[in-house]
Amino acid sequence: MSGMDSVAVAGVGMHPWGAWGKPFAEYGSVAARAALADAGLGWRDVQLVVGGETIRNGYPGFVAGSALSQALGWHGAPVASCYAACATGAQALSTARAHILAGLADVVLVVGADTTPKGFFAPVGGDRPDDPDWLRFRLLGATNPAYFGLYARRRMALCGSTEADFAAVKVKNARAGALNPYARFRAEVDAETVLNSPMVSDPLRLLQICATSDGAAAVVLTSEDYARRLNKDAVRIRAISAPTPTYPRTVPDFPYLASDSMATAAPAARTFRESLAHAAYEAAGIGPEDVDLAEVYDLTTAMELDWYEEIGLCAPGDAEKLLHEGATALGGRVPVNASGGLSSFGEAIPAQAIAQVCELTRQLRGDAGDRQVAGARVGVAVNQGLFGHGSAIVVGRA
Amino acid sequence: MTDGIPAAPGTEGWFRESPDGFVLLAGRCTACGALSFPPRTVPGCPDPGCEGLDQSPEPLSTTGTLWSYTDARYAPPPPYPRPPDTEFSPYALAAVELAAERMIVLGQVAPDIPAEALRVGMTMELAPGTLLSSTGVEERVWNWRPVAGYDAYTGEAHA
Ligand SMILES: [Zn+2]
């Protein structure tokens, strides 16, 4: 599909995910050059650079668009930098898309790159009791995996999920990740190994929680006209949604210490996480039945199962059934995380949503090698992060 | 305060200790009654349909239903306090759903209750809790604990 409201994905590029501790701008410039080469464009053709901010890399991280422009060599292109927690990459893509649709630019480079310390994510330093992210660590010791453990245990209580179900997600994603040259973890894993890994936040074990990684991804977006001139008109961004929650939030999502009260206001028909993909489906004029493959933010194995239901691949409570039927594995009816997912990559926050689009683009072009999803025409990518951020992106063949 | 332990940093006005007991205090919008926990520090109602700017303290129910729980087997990073030369002691976290308020409030589980004693759906009650600051000073926080007599104490390990 193409039309007034679509932009073309002219090129994609990545730096492999890993843990080397090099400057984020190094990873980002590798990914950017790869995306430009893939598009058949030069750095000087870029009319706007949008950088996903990385908040743990000092000042250059906060001005990512500029830091990456300097790394590639100043040539005068305007920059934008944006931060939206795990949805940072989606917001960067959305900024690029808006410029193109408004006619302000024809060629936009979107880059996300990160260098991530080992271990739990921690809040920015100092005594900051007015920051909910600081408070949850200071008062409760509530790390991200602690919240994930709450959601996983809730799923077990509501849906009868077991640790073995969760482990089967890891086995599936490790199998896909083993085929992806950009993934950090490229070994297949069996269920026994998952179930014998150390318990982190009951019921979640180490191999059920995504690691923190270094990595980078870049996408070159162009206008329809420009794509036609480039002869690069295969893949389109059909929708990007990045809504905030609606009051009242029904779940105690991180970093907050409580859900919103539903005593004086009724919640929306859809939860926040459900609203993400459905807003994008509506904007793209499709439904979940049109989706050929999905990249979902599997911060944990249990969360991947939540997503199946929240993006409409199956009814609430049926995710385990969908998983065990093999529908979401490579070769299944609707493969989920054909890239290997966060499970195989680990999280490089500002790069992640962009990497999801890289994978969907390769799949829709038929360039995904051993991971290829046959006949893929429509893909969706979703994520959710701190402070009411989340996004969904629908990518389709032209 | 009944025993003179000061509120942990950032929790001023979040709870009240009196001879009548220990309660968490929400902020209640004086216009529409919407509750916020912790009380909002920014003026304005959380409900986008309400133009109220003021809130008053409102005690929350002190019992609720265990919505979910987890435990922390690895030491969290700072700013979680840990006095020098002390071992990390694992703790459980509870998310407790308050029926009247229709709201889920997180808290650490009282340190004498192991995660194995918890079941989703059990009745929990609020209790004063104590954190040790990184300089070893006691600070008041809130804890959740199963209501005494609940059969989890006799029960089998969770699935
Ligand atoms: Zn109000």
Side-chain angles (χ1 to χ4, degrees):
Chain A
M1 176 189 145
S2 58
M4 294 288 288
D5 58 351
S6 70
V7 297
V9 182
V12 296
M14 291 171 67
H15 184 288
W17 263 232
W20 305 282
K22 295 192 228 168
F24 79 95
E26 179 176 332
Y27 306 135
S29 54
V30 168
R33 288 191 176 100
L36 288 165
D38 186 44
L41 289 170
W43 163 229
R44 287 172 189 272
D45 296 318
V46 171
Q47 298 164 4
L48 172 70
V49 181
V50 189
E53 284 183 11
T54 155
I55 64 171
R56 292 176 178 84
N57 290 268
Y59 219 104
F62 288 107
V63 292
S66 156
L68 290 159
S69 295
Q70 191 217 12
L72 293 162
W74 301 117
H75 77 78
V79 295
S81 298
C82 59
Y83 182 74
C86 296
T88 295
Q91 198 178 77
L93 288 162
S94 183
T95 299
R97 176 175 177 260
H99 275 78
I100 292 168
L101 293 179
L104 298 173
D106 282 315
V107 181
V108 184
L109 173 67
V110 181
V111 190
D114 212 352
T115 306
T116 314
K118 283 181 69 154
F120 290 120
F121 281 127
V124 174
D127 277 342
R128 293 176 302 98
D130 55 350
D131 175 0
D133 195 39
W134 186 87
L135 284 169
R136 56 138 171 169
F137 279 91
R138 178 63 176 81
L139 302 175
L140 267 56
T143 58
N144 290 2
Y147 282 83
F148 305 153
L150 292 174
Y151 309 148
R153 173 62 60 188
R154 179 71 180 168
R155 181 167 187 92
M156 292 170 92
L158 282 191
C159 306
S161 320
T162 64
E163 278 198 61
D165 293 329
F166 300 159
V169 174
K170 175 68 180 181
V171 172
K172 171 185 78 72
N173 287 351
R175 200 168 285 154
L179 303 173
N180 192 335
Y182 296 102
R184 173 175 169 191
F185 304 107
R186 298 200 57 202
E188 292 198 21
V189 177
D190 62 22
E192 195 186 349
T193 306
V194 179
L195 293 171
N196 285 325
S197 64
M199 187 66 85
V200 177
S201 292
D202 174 290
L204 297 172
R205 296 172 183 275
L206 194 60
L207 291 182
Q208 288 163 331
I209 300 172
C210 94
T212 58
S213 292
D214 300 354
V219 166
V220 178
L221 295 184
T222 71
S223 62
E224 289 286 346
D225 284 349
Y226 201 96
R228 265 190 294 278
R229 273 183 273 150
L230 274 180
N231 209 15
K232 287 275 183 185
D233 58 353
V235 177
R236 293 290 182 276
I237 301 274
R238 291 176 55 173
I240 301 177
S241 74
T244 49
T246 55
Y247 180 83
R249 293 173 304 110
T250 56
V251 170
D253 38 6
F254 65 134
Y256 303 109
L257 302 182
S259 65
D260 291 329
S261 165
M262 293 186 279
T264 55
R270 290 196 171 110
T271 65
F272 173 52
R273 284 164 54 95
E274 288 167 347
S275 75
L276 297 169
H278 286 88
Y281 293 154
E282 195 174 322
I286 64 165
E289 65 282 358
D290 299 313
V291 170
D292 297 314
L293 80 163
E295 289 285 305
V296 307
Y297 222 63
D298 56 321
L299 291 165
T300 72
T301 50
M303 192 179 284
E304 175 166 321
L305 296 172
D306 290 338
W307 282 121
Y308 292 180
E309 299 162 8
E310 291 158 339
I311 70 173
L313 299 185
C314 65
D318 283 351
E320 286 78 7
K321 185 163 164 277
L322 196 71
L323 172 75
H324 294 307
E325 285 169 1
T328 58
L330 286 177
R333 177 167 61 75
V334 53
V336 175
N337 286 333
S339 65
L342 297 179
S343 171
S344 303
F345 275 77
E347 203 184 13
I349 293 175
Q352 217 76 43
I354 302 168
Q356 289 179 322
V357 170
C358 291
E359 175 69 11
L360 293 178
T361 298
R362 291 195 173 102
Q363 291 283 356
L364 267 52
R365 287 177 181 169
D367 286 346
D370 294 338
R371 305 187 313 286
Q372 184 61 48
V373 175
R377 297 193 61 83
V378 176
V380 64
V382 287
N383 73 55
Q384 188 209 352
L386 278 180
F387 287 110
H389 285 112
S391 68
I393 301 172
V394 173
V395 180
R397 281 189 62 85
Chain B
M1 265 160 269
T2 49
D3 54 7
I5 297 179
T11 66
E12 212 53 61
W14 291 20
F15 42 77
R16 185 170 70 209
E17 287 183 273
S18 74
D20 297 335
F22 180 82
V23 291
L24 292 178
L25 297 173
R28 183 179 184 278
C29 172
T30 54
C32 76
L35 296 167
S36 307
F37 184 81
R40 287 166 72 87
T41 52
V42 176
C45 180
D47 188 328
C50 174
E51 293 180 3
L53 290 176
D54 300 319
Q55 59 178 352
S56 57
E58 178 79 11
L60 292 174
S61 301
T62 55
T63 60
T65 304
L66 188 59
W67 184 83
S68 193
Y69 63 92
T70 185
D71 63 355
R73 304 278 177 96
Y74 286 65
Y80 188 69
R82 189 159 151 205
D85 307 319
T86 54
E87 289 291 307
F88 166 65
S89 27
Y91 50 85
L93 289 172
V96 175
E97 190 166 19
L98 309 179
E101 293 84 354
R102 302 195 62 201
M103 167 185 220
I104 299 162
V105 179
L106 306 190
Q108 280 196 359
V109 176
D112 58 315
I113 310 289
E116 290 72 21
L118 302 172
R119 302 280 185 288
V120 171
M122 74 196 302
T123 304
M124 304 288 282
E125 65 183 357
L126 191 74
T130 306
L131 268 186
L132 275 186
S133 79
S134 52
T135 54
V137 177
E138 290 190 322
E139 304 173 337
R140 178 60 79 226
V141 290
W142 70 98
N143 282 170
W144 291 109
R145 56 184 307 123
V147 167
Y150 190 83
D151 66 3
Y153 287 114
T154 67
E156 67 282 21
H158 59 72

